[in-house]
Amino acid sequence: MSATPFALRATGVTRRFGALAAVHDVSLDLQRGEIHAVIGTNGAGKSTLVNLLSGEIPLSAGSVQLDGADVTHWSQPRRARAGLGRSYQRNNIFLPLSVRENCRLAAQMQAQQAWKLWQPAARCRFSTARADQALERAGLAALAGRAAASLSHGQKRQLEVAMCLATTPTVLLLDEPLAGMGPEESARMLDLLRSLRAEHALLLVEHDMEAVFAVADKITVMVDGGVIASGSPEAVRADAQVQAAYLGGHA
Amino acid sequence: MDLTTFLIQCLNSVQYGLLLFLVASGLTLIFGIMGVINLAHGSFYMIGAYMAFTLSSLVGNFALALLLGIVLAVVLGYLLEWCFFSFLYEREHLSQVLMTYGLILVFEELRSILVGDDVHGVAVPAWLGGSIAIGNGMAYPVYRLFMSGVCLAVAAGMYAVIRHTRLGMVVRAGSTNREMVQSLGIDIALLYRVVFAAGMALAVLAGMIAAPVASVYPGMGGSVLIVCFVVVVIGGIGSVKGALVAALLIGFVDTFGKVLWQQAAGVLVYVLMAAILLWKPQGLFRQGT
Amino acid sequence: MHKHIPTAAWAWLAAFVLLALLPVLPEPVGSAFHQELGAKVLIMAIFALSLQLLVGYTGLVSLGHAAFFGFAAYTVALLAPQSEAGNGWWLLAASVGAAALLAFVIGLLVMRTRGIYFIMVTLAFAQMVYFVFHDTDLGGGSDGTYVYIKPEFTLFGHRLLDLEQSAHFYWLALLLTAATVGLLALVLRARLGHALVGIRHNEQRMRAAGCNTTAYKLASFTLAGGLSGVAGFLFAVQHGYVNPEILAWHQSGNALLMVILGGIGSLPGAVLGAFSFVLLAEWFQGMTKHWQLLMGGFIIIAVAVLPQGIAGGFVWLRGRWQARRRPTLAAVVPTPQESTP
């Protein structure tokens, strides 16, 4: 698709709130075919980082590149249309709408054609096809007609990811997709992530250490807004600083 | 425009601005802390003006009427919060807008039933009558200086309470993070009641001291409400400092506008608002300042 | 290709056909008084429908909608020739266009504001428009101005309607109401409408999916403003007189009330709300000079007790009825709203 190897590249990303630097000088690369996990203690700035990369809040310093293009000053919708999708830590879905409509709306944004008033949205082949594909992928096809509000927590987390998929992104920023999930649901979600790896670049922010080490190709560790280690899972596990700050001394 | 006229218009601007601040500060506090948009706030101002009229004719003494009015306002505010406004906190904005709009209609008609629809005047009390000479044979009314003085005193008092007392600290905290204050075990219901009563009292006081200068008439609540909204939008919701700056700004724009360009005067304030919105959609100052 | 016409469309059609029969019914039902009252209700229905798009479907609570309504009415009064009947097609187009233009300009200024700011600035800008007409000579100041002769709608030299006749005016109002409902139903069925609903439910999510929500909200604001212009046109023609009070914020408040009374997010709700409000106001005004006390009390009680409005009441009743027929958990879950107009 593009010449650059990096689907997403963050360089020196910094965000200050007054005197406090919530994220300080963070750099990382995301490649297609890779799951890059970001871990850290509470308040380490992981969610802020995701918000900065997705464009939800502006940078204080640094730059972000998507497929070679400098998107630092692009709005979130613009980045999303260019292939940068994200899911939220807390369920951020359209509760009163059906599961299918949730995904269809997200998909619609890739080919809006809002001025074509005579065409019913429900018969828009572009968005309904992508919505069905995303639901299939996420394992929610059977629930397509249900109201999103009636789903269980785990199913809502799946819908979060499905909505992200519906926009057919190149890069997925997933903010704690496993949050609040039981073991069976977590295993299913991890399988989904593994299956997505081939065609996408995934950034995974997570707390669940087992899941992270099971699925990640690269891990970046953040503490107090800055990066203290970044590399393969084995390297990170062996890193002394990481062990002291985060893993509590055990491997 | 010569220097004396300019000076007089400046004094008028400050006086009008400070009065607006008095009313608007109540509105912005109530919204900042309780998250309630209260369209009936203008009616409180109207109630104050009518109270000045009825109480001073009843009691015969303006100062006493003021005192009585403030006490009544606090009691009324306390009751109103308890019976009506406390039910609005959980509702979304549309419901709040409509229910307070209904309240305006109720207040207007109650006023009509109790006091009638005539336009009234309130006499400036004798001990505040007269004027101070300001060069060139011009004189500035003592009463207007008194008004500015009262507003400044109240503003200073608010500053002292907000910055230097525990209550003020809770108020500041509450305006930026309601849940946190609740989880600290502070009796949030009582806090809201106190803040609301204070907000209402501020508007009532403003109406009372303005009565001798402006006339007391049926539509006065509506006009002051909308200008207050402009003050809050420009200053930033929940910011008392913002309300002061914005109110003074509007005071100057409106006063000088009326003098320099009669026909456009009513519109200038909104043009100012539009300009500031283009620059800062959230107003000049952040919530809680 | 066989197109499936939804039940709702048949219901609307039936309702409009029935309403069209009013003028031909025998007295006292079909009286001129009822025709005029009916037209008044229909004008308010268009006004409420236009606001429903903005409030009920896009989630933007505007307290300044009367500005566009009034601006359209003034446009008719100012453009209508004084000594002969004006061209109805042109006046309708001009007033709707003017309202839409004003909505677009104000929309540009307010679209970056959110929540409570949005409510306040829409109110403030509407007040500004009020002052422009009240303080200047543009429209005769506080005295207002007149539409001396009702405009004509001619086609190939034939005059289609004689708007001096209450029946003809009633039918015109009915036709325009039907057109408004039709247009809104079309928009809501289309991608634009679905996006607006998405914005109402979760604007952040829409942005995350790639939606330029500011542009969509501006489109909704402009369309809603333009449609209220249809109501403004009819109002000016019916009354023959416009003054700044039609731009007063009480008019905006009434519009919001009609929408919430009928039910947020429902087209029939907007019509029901307008109907209820106009009749209620007439009833209260007939009872006492201090009718606003009754209206104010009614508003407070209605909003407190029936947050979903009349339409919401129907939905609740239907839910209860379905639950009785099939007692399952399904009764608790609200039905998805993506296709019902």
Side-chain angles (χ1 to χ4, degrees), chain A residues 32-249:
Chain A
R32 231 173 249 90
E34 168 184 280
I35 295 182
H36 189 139
V38 174
I39 62 177
T41 49
N42 275 324
K46 306 189 296 295
S47 280
T48 312
L49 178 65
V50 173
N51 286 337
L52 289 167
L53 294 175
S54 67
E56 222 143 318
I57 56 181
L59 297 175
S60 304
S63 71
V64 178
Q65 281 157 323
L66 181 66
D67 266 339
D70 187 347
V71 301
T72 314
H73 297 292
W74 287 22
S75 67
Q76 181 182 25
R78 200 170 162 199
R79 293 186 208 193
R81 289 194 296 273
L84 180 61
R86 74 160 293 174
S87 75
Y88 287 83
Q89 184 181 11
R90 293 208 213 119
N91 288 326
N92 203 13
I93 58 186
F94 302 111
L95 285 169
L97 304 179
S98 72
V99 168
R100 177 186 276 119
E101 180 65 11
N102 266 265
C103 289
R104 197 205 62 77
L105 260 182
Q108 182 183 306
M109 292 305 122
Q110 295 301 315
Q112 294 175 34
Q113 300 180 320
W115 53 275
K116 285 191 185 162
L117 292 178
W118 57 91
Q119 287 179 356
R123 275 195 260 135
C124 169
R125 266 175 305 196
F126 181 90
S127 53
T128 44
R130 279 169 202 233
D132 288 333
Q133 277 168 20
L135 287 176
E136 186 71 51
R137 213 68 198 275
L140 289 173
L143 299 169
R146 292 263 298 271
S150 67
L151 296 180
S152 72
H153 176 74
Q155 289 165 336
K156 282 186 183 135
R157 298 304 290 146
Q158 279 175 278
L159 181 56
E160 265 292 322
V161 178
M163 286 173 76
C164 187
L165 284 176
T167 59
T168 53
T170 329
V171 178
L172 281 93
L173 306 174
L174 304 169
D175 197 349
E176 299 194 36
L178 301 172
M181 277 194 176
E184 205 186 275
E185 292 169 322
S186 294
R188 248 183 292 150
M189 179 66 86
L190 288 176
D191 282 337
L192 171 62
L193 296 182
R194 279 191 206 97
S195 75
L196 291 172
R197 186 197 338 234
E199 302 127 39
H200 303 94
L202 283 89
L203 183 83
L204 179 68
V205 169
E206 252 310 328
H207 262 306
D208 185 338
M209 283 303 105
E210 267 185 51
V212 166
F213 280 103
V215 101
D217 301 306
K218 265 170 79 176
I219 300 182
T220 292
V221 185
M222 285 180 71
V223 172
D224 284 338
V227 172
I228 60 169
S230 185
S232 70
E234 300 76 38
V236 164
R237 211 194 306 243
D239 185 301
Q241 266 191 300
V242 172
Q243 285 180 1
Y246 194 22
L247 294 174

Side-chain angles (χ1 to χ4, degrees), chain B residues 161-228:
Chain B
V161 168
I162 288 181
R163 292 270 146 197
H164 298 299
T165 65
R166 267 195 83 227
L167 171 67
M169 194 171 64
V170 172
V171 161
R172 262 185 298 147
S175 75
T176 46
N177 194 333
R178 218 165 297 143
E179 290 90 31
M180 188 62 80
V181 170
Q182 266 177 306
S183 62
L184 285 176
I186 294 173
D187 186 349
I188 207 84
L190 186 63
L191 175 69
Y192 284 3
R193 214 152 287 160
V194 167
V195 170
F196 188 84
M200 179 165 179
L202 284 170
V204 167
L205 175 64
M208 293 186 82
I209 63 175
V213 170
S215 38
V216 179
Y217 67 98
M220 62 191 307
S223 7
V224 94
L225 174 75
I226 296 178
V227 182
C228 270

Side-chain angles (χ1 to χ4, degrees), chain A residues 56 81 92 112 119 121, chain C residues 189 191 194 202 204 210 216:
Chain A
E56 222 143 318
R81 289 194 296 273
N92 203 13
Q112 294 175 34
Q119 287 179 356
Chain C
R189 189 185 69 156
R191 277 174 279 242
H194 282 247
N202 196 332
Q204 187 184 32
Y216 275 83

